[in-house]
Amino acid sequence: MILLGSTLLNAPVMSIQTGGELARTSTAIIDPSNLSVIAYAVTGPLVHHSNQLIRVADVRELSSIGLIIDSSDEFVIPEDIIKLQSIYELHFDILGMPVIDQKKKKLGKVIDYTVETGGFVVQQLTVKRPLLRSLNDTELLIHRSQIVEINNHEIVVHSEVSVPEPKRHEVSGSYVNPFRGSAKPAPESVNQSNR
């Protein structure tokens, strides 16, 4: 299933053990090396530390009521998991990042993204166009395959490429259009047996 990343923010985190809401997601922790969401920061009355996270690996199910986990024991702090800590400390936030092409032409800023929920991988970026370019189109969708580089300041995508003209082929013989020329229309047949 593919969802907008914004729908997974401020989403309830539900417990199978208690059947109630434990917390709400606040921000996505995204690994910039492969654009996968590895965790969500959580807030709420049952969250004991300001930097507690829920790893997407600990999410049992994603449903219309929210992210479902076993219990509040699934909440971790970044220091608990070394790989998670190193990505958390990058403070990478894809929202608001400028997007440029390889020719350094500014395309806009990321305002949302789509996530494939099977692996929580970012599939597309929704980019808000700059004011002058937004007269023609206000948003631009960029697939992950178009991304060339992600650095601390911007996302670089492939430059526009020219589409090759299709090859033209000689048509041997002649084609007669039955709707043009002197062709007479055939009379419509009427079924006399129904009268």
Side-chain angles (χ1 to χ4, degrees), residues 3 14 28 56-57 74 81 95 107 121 131 135 137-138 145 162 166-167 171 183 191:
L3 293 174
M14 307 295 288
V56 294
E74 304 296 336
I81 302 165
L95 297 176
L107 301 177
V121 175
L131 182 62
L135 298 175
D137 52 346
T138 57
S145 62
S162 59
K167 294 181 182 177
V171 177
N191 190 351

Side-chain angles (χ1 to χ4, degrees), residues 122-138:
V122 174
Q123 294 297 316
Q124 283 185 326
L125 304 177
T126 305
V127 177
K128 183 173 175 58
R129 305 284 277 158
L131 182 62
L132 292 177
R133 295 186 191 217
S134 67
L135 298 175
N136 293 336
D137 52 346
T138 57

Side-chain angles (χ1 to χ4, degrees), residues 29 38-39 53 55 76 78 81-88:
I29 310 302
I38 59 166
L53 309 172
R55 297 181 325 131
V76 296
I81 302 165
I82 295 170
K83 183 178 180 185
L84 183 60
Q85 181 181 7
S86 63
I87 294 170
Y88 180 79

Side-chain angles (χ1 to χ4, degrees), residues 19-148:
E21 182 178 317
L22 299 173
R24 289 198 168 253
T25 59
S26 60
T27 55
I29 310 302
I30 299 175
D31 184 351
S33 68
N34 60 8
L35 281 183
S36 63
V37 180
I38 59 166
Y40 284 95
V42 290
T43 60
L46 298 176
V47 176
H48 303 297
H49 299 285
S50 61
N51 63 346
Q52 278 194 307
L53 309 172
I54 183 67
R55 297 181 325 131
V56 294
D58 294 329
V59 174
R60 290 186 130 227
E61 184 181 342
L62 180 62
S63 73
S64 59
I65 61 170
L67 286 80
I68 300 172
I69 62 172
D70 287 334
S71 69
S72 61
D73 294 338
E74 304 296 336
F75 294 146
V76 296
I77 56 174
E79 294 79 24
D80 289 345
I81 302 165
I82 295 170
K83 183 178 180 185
L84 183 60
Q85 181 181 7
S86 63
I87 294 170
Y88 180 79
E89 289 175 352
L90 292 175
H91 300 289
F92 175 74
D93 189 3
I94 199 166
L95 297 176
M97 281 201 81
V99 179
I100 63 170
D101 67 9
Q102 290 173 309
K103 296 177 182 176
K104 305 289 185 207
K105 182 173 146 188
K106 187 175 180 180
L107 301 177
K109 289 189 176 189
V110 178
I111 58 169
D112 209 345
Y113 52 91
T114 59
V115 176
E116 181 271 312
T117 58
F120 281 88
V121 175
V122 174
Q123 294 297 316
Q124 283 185 326
L125 304 177
T126 305
V127 177
K128 183 173 175 58
R129 305 284 277 158
L131 182 62
L132 292 177
R133 295 186 191 217
S134 67
L135 298 175
N136 293 336
D137 52 346
T138 57
E139 292 179 355
L140 183 66
L141 291 177
I142 297 175
H143 191 268
R144 66 180 286 115
S145 62
Q146 295 172 286
I147 298 172
V148 176

